[in-house]
Amino acid sequence: MDEYSRFVDWDKMDVTAQSQDAKELTCTEFQELKQLARQGYWAKNHSLRAKVYHKLISNIPCRTVTPDANVYRDIVVKIVGKRSSSSLPLPEFVDNSLVPTYCLNAEGIGAVRKIILCIANQFPDISFCPALPSVIALLLHYSKDEAECFEQVCRILACNDPSKRLIDQTFLAFESSCMTFGDLVNKYCQAAHKLMVAVSEDVLEVYSDWQRWLFGELPMVYIARVFDVFLVEGYKVLYRVALALLKFFHKVRAGQPMESDSIQQDIRAFVRDIAKSVSPERLLEKAFAIRLFSRKEIQLLQMANEKALQQKGITVKQKRQNVHLAVHAENFKSEIVSVKEMRDIWSWIPERFALCQPLLLFTTLEHGCSLSRFYSHSEGHEPTLLLIKTTAKEVCGAFLSTDWTERRRGGNKLSFFGTGECFVFRLQPEVERYEWVIIKHPELAATGSESENHTSPASSTLSSGSVPSDPSDRLSPFLSARHFNLPSKTASMFMAGSSECIIIGGGDGQALYLDADLNHGRTSHCNTFNNQPLCSESFQISVLEVWGFRD
């Protein structure tokens, strides 16, 4: 056995981890390291993986004063004393997390608790870090002694590179990551998200488990492969793998009855037993096949979610508001949708807005069919939700991320604005949410007179997924430009409004047009996309409502 075997119970380890010939790692270029990590170059050799981990972690930029191995040796006896390792209480910031054994021997299991306590002593600013026990247990496999493991974990925690996020250490960071994961699921795992909404009373509660799936439930051989790539590529890898886990869960369990009374428990059980369904290589292959947003975009989305939580005063752990409770049955009344349907819509909107209550701003039944009154009641509110019921009993609508005041920037011309968080949907005759697209050539529909022509310009104005050539230079399609002091030209455009009409560029080739009298509307449907139209090509409006979001 090698010098990194002190804490390992080899009888429980995968034999392939100790049977490969020794290899060396000489490359230092990021792209080459990235490929080797994804391919598992050092995964089959215990000693090589330990050396690679040590090299990668030692290169993490850290605070000037970061505790090292000598600090651990100085404080461990004073902190632990003569108490048995198994009886050591864990600090509150690990939040009763699982302390995985990861094929550690008895000494290694005890060492996890000792190192956690010493880290708590040296990092008083950590207030919430449920992933810590798992990270320590994993790194003990690849450490010569407790002090070396302590130093490596400290370097990860003390990283001071603002562009390199590693482990959440506050409840605000953790909770916003759960909201961000929920947003990503809503975008990239719609079938799984639909299942979560159907079987769970609180979708965010399910998604708040996403780090536990990785750092707690995932078997040792899997989390080690994830950690290989994580140390090279950073936090985004965790989102990828968690999304892949959810996709596999839905694929394997689709159509089967739940094994317990809780979808959370079912997902945890699936992840624990993932070896029955998916290999580590297949899991990573699936994770990296997801065309995820850029790191910059995800960072902006995380910032927006943190800001929403701070505005709500949610910065420390407390009972989370149930998404279903966000639409209170006793306070909600719509002539278009039921409470259940509104809750379904709430499950589609970005997590930071799901913290709010719906507030009726405008209804044609009370305010009349006037576009000017529509604007006067809707302006000053962001975002808003548009609901339409036709005389044919069809129900459709749109989530609009931007204040209608923005339309004034175009003067008397039909002015386009909005962000990629806009989407259109249909509730009746069947439920469908349409993915966003970008209005590519707004100048083609730039005048009110053109909008009066009943031939739809959507085929020339709408383009699915059109993006700038360099996605790193554009704003996240989820976020409003002015929130981050970025040029307005970087914002995607989905909404248009003038005194003549309203146009909403929806998704998957769908677009919605409303005339000035709010009695008539029409849709365009690009046949390039294999989906049903939003509603009838030409329709009469029975009721139209606009809803805002109240804290």
Side-chain angles (χ1 to χ4, degrees):
M1 297 300 170
D2 60 42
E3 58 187 328
Y4 301 100
S5 301
R6 175 175 173 179
F7 303 109
V8 182
D9 186 340
W10 286 104
D11 292 335
K12 297 178 181 178
M13 284 286 286
D14 180 356
V15 68
T16 60
Q18 51 182 308
S19 63
Q20 303 299 308
D21 294 333
K23 292 183 282 188
E24 295 297 327
L25 183 70
T26 56
C27 75
T28 56
E29 293 296 324
F30 173 77
Q31 287 300 328
E32 189 176 356
L33 273 174
K34 177 178 170 180
Q35 289 304 314
L36 292 177
R38 292 188 180 190
Q39 294 166 6
Y41 181 82
W42 53 80
K44 297 288 181 73
N45 185 280
H46 190 85
S47 179
L48 178 61
R49 179 181 260 159
K51 292 174 182 176
V52 171
Y53 279 10
H54 182 79
K55 180 178 181 179
L56 292 174
I57 294 172
S58 65
N59 288 333
I60 293 175
C62 295
R63 299 194 290 248
T64 304
V65 180
T66 298
D68 59 13
N70 289 327
V71 169
Y72 182 83
R73 296 184 186 100
D74 290 340
I75 66 175
V76 64
V77 174
K78 180 170 59 176
I79 292 174
V80 175
K82 297 181 179 180
R83 292 177 291 176
S84 168
S85 298
S86 60
S87 66
L88 294 174
L90 294 178
E92 287 187 8
F93 66 67
V94 299
D95 191 43
N96 297 317
S97 301
L98 296 176
V99 181
T101 58
Y102 288 155
C103 307
L104 294 172
N105 57 27
E107 183 183 7
I109 293 171
V112 173
R113 290 178 173 267
K114 292 164 66 177
I115 294 171
I116 291 174
L117 287 178
C118 290
I119 286 175
N121 175 268
Q122 293 295 302
F123 289 83
D125 53 332
I126 295 180
S127 59
F128 198 81
C129 192
L132 187 60
S134 176
V135 172
I136 293 172
L138 178 63
L139 288 177
L140 273 171
H141 273 265
Y142 307 103
S143 303
K144 296 177 183 177
D145 55 29
E146 294 173 15
E148 183 176 273
C149 180
F150 170 85
E151 179 173 325
Q152 292 193 81
V153 176
C154 287
R155 290 195 64 82
I156 292 173
L157 294 171
C159 174
N160 63 356
D161 183 349
S163 66
K164 193 178 184 68
R165 179 176 182 172
L166 293 175
I167 297 178
D168 296 330
Q169 299 174 44
T170 67
F171 183 73
L172 181 62
F174 173 82
E175 188 75 348
S176 62
S177 79
C178 295
M179 293 170 66
T180 301
F181 179 69
D183 287 328
L184 296 176
V185 173
N186 201 356
K187 169 72 176 174
Y188 295 102
C189 305
Q190 291 186 13
H193 182 65
K194 190 173 181 179
L195 174 65
M196 300 301 121
V197 172
V199 301
S200 171
E201 290 189 357
D202 187 353
V203 179
L204 186 54
E205 191 72 43
V206 176
Y207 297 151
S208 69
D209 250 10
W210 80 277
Q211 288 196 26
R212 176 175 174 148
W213 303 341
L214 304 174
F215 296 112
E217 305 292 359
L218 207 58
M220 161 73 189
V221 66
Y222 289 77
I223 187 58
R225 289 287 285 111
V226 173
F227 210 75
D228 291 345
V229 191
F230 167 73
L231 284 178
V232 176
E233 298 187 42
Y235 200 90
K236 184 178 174 181
V237 170
L238 305 182
Y239 283 134
R240 285 189 175 280
V241 176
L243 289 170
L245 286 171
L246 200 58
K247 282 179 175 285
F248 278 122
F249 172 80
H250 179 261
K251 180 180 179 181
V252 172
R253 296 291 177 85
Q256 298 181 13
M258 290 177 58
E259 296 185 354
S260 71
D261 294 333
S262 166
I263 190 70
Q264 279 181 285
Q265 296 300 329
D266 276 16
I267 297 175
R268 291 174 184 177
F270 172 79
V271 175
R272 280 196 300 272
D273 299 329
I274 194 171
K276 297 177 181 178
S277 311
V278 183
S279 68
E281 292 71 26
R282 182 73 185 98
L283 178 63
L284 288 180
E285 180 183 332
K286 185 76 167 179
F288 290 109
I290 300 170
R291 297 180 64 84
L292 204 59
F293 297 130
S294 70
R295 185 175 289 104
K296 178 182 178 182
E297 290 170 330
I298 292 176
Q299 184 180 24
L300 289 172
L301 185 56
Q302 182 98 11
M303 287 166 57
N305 285 330
E306 284 193 8
K307 182 178 179 181
L309 288 168
Q310 288 173 323
Q311 289 174 341
K312 281 285 197 178
I314 304 174
T315 57
V316 296
K317 188 174 182 187
Q318 54 189 270
K319 183 174 177 57
R320 186 184 298 106
Q321 183 179 28
N322 186 306
V323 170
H324 274 224
L325 294 180
V327 183
H328 295 302
E330 62 273 16
N331 297 327
F332 177 77
K333 180 173 173 53
S334 168
E335 298 300 325
I336 300 178
V337 297
S338 65
V339 173
K340 180 185 181 304
E341 287 171 324
M342 195 63 152
R343 287 171 175 169
D344 287 341
I345 296 170
W346 234 242
S347 74
W348 296 334
I349 66 177
E351 294 287 358
R352 64 188 184 279
F353 300 126
L355 297 168
C356 303
Q357 297 284 327
L359 173 67
L360 184 62
L361 303 175
F362 173 86
T363 171
T364 52
L365 293 180
E366 179 181 344
H367 302 106
C369 299
S370 164
L371 187 54
S372 62
R373 282 198 288 272
F374 170 95
Y375 287 138
S376 66
H377 284 81
S378 302
E379 288 176 353
H381 295 271
E382 182 180 284
T384 53
L385 187 69
L386 175 69
L387 297 176
I388 297 171
K389 184 175 184 178
T390 72
T391 54
K393 307 296 185 184
E394 298 167 308
V395 175
C396 62
F399 174 79
L400 306 171
S401 64
T402 307
D403 190 336
W404 279 106
T405 306
E406 294 289 310
R407 68 187 175 86
R408 300 179 185 275
R409 293 192 176 190
N412 293 325
K413 294 183 178 181
L414 190 64
S415 177
F416 287 85
F417 52 96
T419 76
E421 283 185 321
C422 295
F423 61 86
V424 291
F425 56 87
R426 183 183 65 220
L427 294 176
Q428 297 290 343
E430 59 186 31
V431 177
E432 185 73 43
R433 176 193 167 195
Y434 299 93
E435 278 298 292
W436 60 272
V437 295
I438 290 176
I439 296 177
K440 191 175 182 181
H441 302 295
E443 67 277 6
L444 297 180
T447 66
S449 59
E450 289 173 336
S451 69
E452 292 172 2
N453 188 330
H454 286 273
T455 59
S456 167
S459 60
S460 62
T461 60
L462 298 180
S463 171
S464 174
S466 173
V467 296
S469 58
D470 184 0
S472 65
D473 290 336
R474 66 184 174 89
L475 180 67
S476 165
F478 277 120
L479 304 171
S480 177
R482 70 178 185 284
H483 290 164
F484 302 99
N485 298 318
L486 295 176
S488 60
K489 67 181 180 180
T490 60
S492 305
M493 295 179 289
F494 296 83
M495 306 159 56
S498 70
S499 60
E500 306 283 342
C501 69
I502 286 173
I503 302 177
I504 297 167
D508 292 345
Q510 305 283 350
L512 182 66
Y513 301 77
L514 301 180
D515 294 337
D517 62 6
L518 296 185
N519 278 317
H520 300 88
R522 60 192 187 278
T523 62
S524 71
H525 174 234
C526 180
N527 293 325
T528 305
F529 301 94
N530 184 23
N531 55 47
Q532 296 298 313
L534 187 61
C535 62
S536 301
E537 185 173 347
S538 179
F539 58 86
Q540 284 191 309
I541 297 172
S542 173
V543 187
L544 182 148
E545 295 175 350
V546 179
W547 292 80
F549 292 74
R550 179 182 61 203
D551 290 340

